[in-house]
Amino acid sequence: MPIFANETKEQVFWRWFAANEDRLFQFEKDQESTFDHLNNAMAKVHEDLTFEFGPVRTDGTREFVISAGGLKAVFPSVESLHRAAPELKRWKFIKYRQRRTPINDIEYGGVEIKAKEVHYAVFKDEAPGKIGIMLFLDGYAKGEKEGVLGQIGYLFLDEALGEFDVETKVGTIVFFGRDSKYFERRRPLSQLQADFDEWKKGQKGNP
């Protein structure tokens, strides 16, 4: 798509999006190809930008989520792209992955983990104004933080708390298996949202 004079990279992306709106709205018909083209278009704004689609809602609209992929350094690109978003009848544009209630099960890299099988514990973080979180994943072994289970863990935190809060309010994140000595402190992941919101309000003091 040609770039017009004085057109920003964000405007170029949204012009491409509008031109391909029907294909994007019905991406399930050719998901792999559609996502490849969408990834290429977003990479021209920032190479680390990612996205999510919501299901078609009863009012005929669909959410398109602009995500930083859990990278705080990409937040300015999320903000600028969202700020430039056009008004399109069938779309609701959202910045950052939002928290989900109930928390969804996650399948990633050929591994599926159910949300009900995930547990957490909180602890006082060394950084002021932040909370530390231990996440317990069945089968997790030391050193897997950058592997499939580690990535699933981060996705669960985004599901529970939303991408923005994970990057700005959560400090140290530690993953453990069920064999950890800390597992006795576990709570079901479904309770993390309420605990975290109380902590944010200062109702519990330090965890």
Side-chain angles (χ1 to χ4, degrees):
M1 180 173 286
I3 299 176
F4 298 129
N6 301 320
E7 194 172 38
T8 67
K9 55 189 177 182
E10 290 84 5
Q11 289 171 328
V12 171
F13 171 80
W14 288 118
R15 187 159 55 85
W16 175 89
F17 190 102
N20 291 273
E21 182 186 357
D22 285 338
R23 182 182 182 187
L24 292 165
F25 195 84
Q26 304 176 71
F27 70 85
E28 295 94 342
K29 292 183 177 180
D30 189 10
Q31 182 167 323
E32 185 174 353
S33 176
T34 302
F35 281 13
D36 283 346
H37 283 90
L38 178 54
N39 273 317
N40 289 337
M42 293 193 83
K44 293 175 183 177
V45 179
H46 193 290
E47 62 182 0
D48 292 317
L49 282 172
T50 62
F51 61 87
E52 287 182 1
F53 286 96
V56 177
R57 304 192 299 186
T58 55
D59 63 357
T61 63
R62 186 165 219 163
E63 289 184 357
F64 179 73
V65 179
I66 306 164
S67 168
L71 301 173
K72 192 174 180 181
V74 187
F75 277 22
S77 292
V78 173
E79 294 286 343
S80 63
L81 189 58
H82 183 265
R83 191 162 50 244
E87 292 284 341
L88 295 176
K89 274 186 178 180
R90 293 189 293 176
W91 295 94
K92 182 177 182 182
F93 299 118
I94 307 292
K95 56 183 180 181
Y96 308 112
R97 287 194 292 261
Q98 303 296 299
R99 59 171 59 182
R100 306 293 183 185
T101 304
I103 298 170
N104 293 315
D105 301 335
I106 290 177
E107 183 176 357
Y108 178 85
V111 177
E112 182 177 8
I113 296 183
K114 296 187 180 301
K116 67 181 181 181
E117 298 171 352
V118 182
H119 297 79
Y120 76 95
V122 297
F123 60 92
K124 183 177 180 180
D125 197 84
E126 292 182 359
K130 294 199 173 183
I131 189 171
I133 296 179
M134 301 179 195
L135 208 63
F136 303 98
L137 300 169
D138 192 21
Y140 184 87
K142 187 176 180 181
E144 290 186 40
K145 191 171 184 179
E146 304 305 323
V148 170
L149 285 180
Q151 293 302 310
I152 287 175
Y154 285 117
L155 290 172
F156 270 121
L157 288 177
D158 282 352
E159 283 272 324
L161 304 177
E163 181 179 9
F164 186 85
D165 274 348
V166 169
E167 292 302 315
T168 60
K169 297 297 183 183
V170 176
T172 304
I173 300 170
V174 188
F175 298 117
F176 293 108
R178 291 173 178 263
D179 57 348
S180 168
K181 64 181 179 181
Y182 301 112
F183 191 61
E184 63 184 20
R185 295 174 51 188
R186 70 190 182 279
R187 304 189 74 180
L189 187 65
S190 59
Q191 296 183 20
L192 179 56
Q193 293 175 348
D195 279 354
F196 182 79
D197 288 345
E198 285 191 40
W199 170 81
K200 281 179 66 175
K201 294 175 183 176
Q203 294 175 357
K204 280 191 169 181
N206 291 325

